[in-house]
Amino acid sequence: MAAFHVVIPARYASMRLPGKPLLDIAGEPMVAHVAKRAQASGAASVIVATDHVGIAEAMAVRGIEAVMTRADHVSGTDRIAEVVAIKGWSPVENVVNVQGDEPLIDPVLIREVAENLESHPDASIATACHPLIEAEEMFNPNIVKVVMDRLGHALYFSRAPIPWPRDAFADSRNAIPAGLPVFRHLGIYAYRVEFLHAYAGLQTAPIEQFESLEQLRALWHGYKISVVVTANAPAAGVDTPADLERVRAIMAPA
């Protein structure tokens, strides 16, 4: 497949976990674990995009490239777009956005998303999902759902339970009906550099604001998002102190 880059946005500020990218897991900063897994994906380059000198310095001593970006970005995509401009990558190259708080991400998933974008020339973005099994997860607004067309392009993303099985849920909402194509969206994206050049000029979409889902901006403006159904879904990332302790226990040296 064609070469691709990985950019890992790493913002120091975090309401629930200040300094999250530098939190220690098994003797290494969390974002360093993410970068090493990204390197194992076969990416041509892996870059940590940050607004914090301490993060950049911690990456430098570990041989991981870091790029300093502005502190006023409102999203990780904006931060990645700045890296693309700094690096001068060609419009035909592809970039995978890997979240800096997923130290357990599977390198295979990163490559899957990059390959999916390459194999769908009509899409500007690729992302991933996996089937949902439990009704409780379907109704959880913190779990984003995606509905796709027959070609695997996203029709819509929502925090609401979609698609809605009208007749089945009229009787009971305790289980997902057999055969219902309900998928959990995974927060990993591959972008064409050409799209990232255009992204900064896109008007914020009303549906994006109400759902608090950035990817809806691309759909609202007519860009196609290809979705791969993966068996390599990552374990939950680190959002809370409890998450941090869970991941520390998993990654503790034997």
Side-chain angles (χ1 to χ4, degrees):
M1 66 170 290
F4 64 94
H5 306 280
V6 171
V7 179
I8 305 167
R11 189 171 61 94
Y12 187 82
S14 172
M15 291 182 64
R16 287 182 285 189
L17 286 173
K20 182 161 66 168
L22 294 179
L23 292 174
D24 182 272
I25 298 176
E28 293 282 341
M30 176 162 50
V31 71
H33 287 287
V34 179
K36 290 175 181 179
R37 286 180 176 252
Q39 289 169 342
S41 72
S45 66
V46 174
I47 295 172
V48 173
T50 186
D51 57 358
H52 190 269
V53 172
I55 294 174
E57 291 174 344
M59 296 305 98
V61 300
R62 291 166 173 82
I64 298 168
E65 184 177 1
V67 170
M68 292 296 299
T69 55
R70 302 199 317 268
D72 60 348
H73 288 305
V74 297
S75 73
T77 306
D78 292 296
R79 197 174 302 281
I80 291 169
E82 184 182 356
V83 172
V84 165
I86 291 170
K87 302 297 288 187
W89 289 329
S90 163
V92 300
E93 293 186 87
N94 296 336
V95 181
V96 180
N97 173 1
V98 175
Q99 300 297 319
D101 58 2
E102 293 196 1
L104 297 173
I105 192 166
D106 191 334
V108 176
L109 174 60
I110 299 171
R111 190 171 183 87
E112 273 187 316
V113 174
E115 290 174 341
N116 184 268
L117 183 59
E118 183 183 352
S119 64
H120 290 80
D122 56 343
S124 298
I125 306 170
T127 188
C129 70
H130 71 93
L132 275 179
I133 306 299
E134 302 296 333
E136 181 181 356
E137 294 180 315
M138 187 176 181
F139 285 95
N140 184 344
N142 295 316
I143 293 177
V144 178
K145 279 68 68 175
V146 59
V147 172
M148 297 164 284
D149 67 16
R150 65 182 180 86
L151 299 177
H153 295 124
L155 292 172
Y156 195 66
F157 298 86
S158 183
R159 298 182 182 278
I162 56 171
W164 182 263
R166 185 194 64 177
D167 295 339
F169 278 176
D171 295 330
S172 172
R173 300 180 185 179
N174 293 326
I176 295 175
L180 183 71
V182 56
F183 296 95
R184 176 179 188 162
H185 176 235
L186 303 174
I188 181 171
Y189 299 93
Y191 301 104
R192 299 195 192 282
V193 166
E194 182 179 29
F195 169 79
L196 289 170
H197 286 322
Y199 179 79
L202 296 180
Q203 176 188 351
T204 302
I207 54 174
E208 168 194 1
Q209 293 178 307
F210 281 104
E211 292 260 22
S212 292
L213 295 176
E214 180 187 350
Q215 65 269 34
L216 291 175
R217 186 183 312 181
L219 288 184
W220 194 75
H221 284 278
Y223 290 94
K224 287 188 178 295
I225 302 176
S226 181
V227 187
V228 58
V229 180
T230 183
N232 301 294
V238 178
D239 288 319
T240 67
D243 291 336
L244 179 62
E245 293 310 313
R246 171 181 49 82
V247 172
R248 281 174 170 167
I250 293 171
M251 301 185 72

